[in-house]
Amino acid sequence: MATDYSPLPTLTLPRTTDLVRLDQRPHPPISMNSPALSAMTDLRLVNPIGIRGDAGLREAHQRMISHGIRLLFVHDHDGSLLGIVTAVDLLGERPIQCMKEHGKHHDDLQVSDVMTPRARLDALRLDDVASASVGQLVATMQQLGRQHALVVEVNPANGHHELCGLFSTSHIARLLGRPLSFIRVPQALSEIQYSLLYTG
């Protein structure tokens, strides 16, 4: 019964009351020796912003602008992950390449035309990340040549992998207070060909 508990004190909200803005909150400084989790965007706490694969590029760009982000998770009608799309994918060479190859107009292009599909994405296991340092994570992203890294864990209820975290080199660089830019040497002829065809 509620009568068994004492009520909490209240206060009248002062004029200096603001809404929480997580993006403006100071983040504790990190170093390369800090836990990797200190630099991860935890998708268990922050709702991932997604878009359907059949959405137009203009809609995707507007969604990025409105949320102040540079990456969207692409999903199908049932919410299954199809891939990711970044601001570079939308504004770089991919749309131009797709227009040339398929004879489409820019307004006819869909997010699925320019996204990085799920099969080409690398992911880290949450268990590995939990025991890693920021330095190890940076070394991993440098080896992969990626600006983003996804983190997954297995849902014990259905055995499916679920995205639970995201790392971004731009976010890590801000926290470290120094730039992180990776230039990866392609490791195979097929990779060079893919880069020429699809990433400009």
Side-chain angles (χ1 to χ4, degrees):
M1 297 293 294
T3 54
D4 297 332
Y5 300 91
S6 57
L8 297 173
T10 62
L11 77 159
T12 301
L13 291 178
R15 287 179 56 195
T16 54
T17 302
D18 304 317
L19 289 172
V20 172
R21 290 289 303 273
L22 294 179
D23 58 335
Q24 294 179 358
R25 277 214 169 167
H27 192 287
I30 68 170
S31 71
M32 295 292 267
N33 295 321
S34 299
L37 288 176
S38 64
M40 185 179 85
T41 300
D42 195 333
L43 300 179
R44 298 166 300 180
L45 303 176
V46 178
N47 272 335
I49 308 300
I51 194 164
R52 283 194 359 199
D54 57 4
L57 304 193
R58 192 182 308 276
E59 180 184 345
H61 189 219
Q62 287 301 317
R63 187 161 302 183
M64 287 183 185
I65 292 172
S66 64
H67 289 280
I69 56 178
R70 297 178 59 81
L71 179 147
L72 296 171
F73 295 97
V74 186
H75 57 85
D76 62 14
H77 298 274
D78 299 322
S80 295
L81 182 71
L82 298 177
I84 61 172
V85 65
T86 67
V88 173
D89 296 331
L90 297 176
L91 305 174
E93 294 294 322
R94 285 194 184 185
I96 297 171
Q97 290 287 351
C98 193
M99 290 164 62
K100 288 179 180 177
E101 291 174 13
H102 304 291
K104 291 184 177 181
H105 295 288
H106 190 274
D107 289 342
D108 297 328
L109 295 179
Q110 298 182 342
V111 170
S112 58
D113 292 323
V114 300
M115 71 178 185
T116 300
R118 183 185 61 246
R120 288 188 53 83
L121 293 173
D122 302 295
L124 302 168
R125 295 179 183 85
L126 181 61
D127 288 344
D128 294 331
V129 170
S131 59
S133 67
V134 170
Q136 287 177 286
L137 179 72
V138 170
T140 302
M141 295 177 77
Q142 185 169 10
Q143 181 184 39
L144 295 173
R146 306 283 192 195
Q147 298 298 311
H148 298 91
L150 306 176
V151 183
V152 295
E153 63 178 345
V154 175
N155 182 334
N158 58 18
H160 290 187
H161 283 78
E162 291 182 341
L163 283 179
C164 61
L166 173 70
F167 288 104
S168 162
T169 54
S170 59
H171 179 62
I172 296 171
R174 282 195 299 271
L175 297 180
L176 287 172
R178 61 189 174 100
L180 293 174
S181 69
F182 307 138
I183 302 176
R184 183 188 180 206
V185 178
Q187 297 176 349
L189 181 61
S190 60
E191 194 171 336
I192 296 173
Q193 184 180 25
Y194 183 91
S195 297
L196 290 174
L197 289 174
Y198 300 107
T199 64

